[in-house]
Amino acid sequence: MELILKQDVENLGFKDDVVTVKNGYGRNFLIPQGQAILATSSAKKVLAENLKQRAYKEKKIIDEAKAIATAISALELKITSKVGTGDKLFGSVNNIDVAEALQKEGQTIDKKYINVIGGNVKRLGKYNAIIRLHREVSVDLEFDVIAEA
């Protein structure tokens, strides 16, 4: 089933993306929640015209996202956590912790746009996260998990 998203949907896509989902997910969740509409040929034509009209505005937004991406990639992020025996953490470090660390550095990024590679981090060391700033702009952020003093 092809749908046009009316808003950003986590783990699926951004607003105005044409996505293919299973029939039940589209019919029973996305469409009743007002998050998507059916991607008929006329709806696709309307979407194409709207995207063409928004292209100039989008260029400005993309340029801003690229500027934020260069600022984020220049950061050396260190996240402190309590450590048990060896290098094992009490609890874990996830996208919420990365978002809070970025907030302390002056970059406000919503946690749903941060994806820590490998899921939750449970040991000390260097890790990567992918931050989606725009549908066309994402940045790879490397961060260190260090022991709390």
Side-chain angles (χ1 to χ4, degrees):
M1 167 180 270
E2 272 196 332
L3 298 175
I4 298 172
L5 296 179
K6 292 169 68 177
Q7 64 188 37
D8 295 348
V9 179
E10 191 171 349
N11 297 327
L12 186 58
F14 288 104
K15 181 180 177 184
D16 294 331
D17 281 350
V18 178
V19 295
T20 303
V21 297
K22 293 194 176 188
N23 292 340
Y25 183 51
R27 196 175 330 111
N28 297 328
F29 182 73
L30 293 173
I31 293 173
Q33 293 287 327
Q35 295 180 349
I37 58 172
L38 279 173
T40 61
S41 60
S42 62
K44 287 181 182 177
K45 289 177 187 174
V46 169
L47 175 65
E49 184 62 31
N50 288 343
L51 289 177
K52 193 185 306 180
Q53 290 176 359
R54 266 193 268 149
Y56 179 74
K57 294 176 188 174
E58 286 283 322
K59 183 179 181 340
K60 183 179 176 187
I61 292 170
I62 289 171
D63 290 340
E64 290 174 4
K66 286 181 180 176
I68 293 171
T70 56
I72 288 175
S73 63
L75 290 175
E76 290 188 20
L77 207 59
K78 296 191 186 305
I79 299 175
T80 60
S81 181
K82 292 183 180 179
V83 180
T85 57
D87 61 351
K88 206 168 184 186
L89 302 179
F90 285 120
S92 63
V93 174
N94 55 23
N95 61 340
I96 298 170
D97 300 314
V98 174
E100 289 172 356
L102 284 170
Q103 179 76 34
K104 290 177 186 174
E105 295 290 332
Q107 298 291 338
T108 304
I109 305 292
D110 194 356
K111 67 183 178 191
K112 68 183 176 182
Y113 299 122
I114 299 172
N115 182 20
V116 176
I117 296 174
N120 293 340
V121 174
K122 298 189 183 247
R123 294 194 174 274
L124 298 178
K126 286 186 178 282
Y127 296 94
N128 288 327
I130 296 173
I131 301 172
R132 291 181 67 182
L133 300 169
H134 187 268
R135 77 176 68 153
E136 298 175 14
V137 181
S138 63
V139 63
D140 191 26
L141 173 70
E142 189 173 287
F143 63 94
D144 289 326
V145 178
I146 58 175
E148 199 173 70

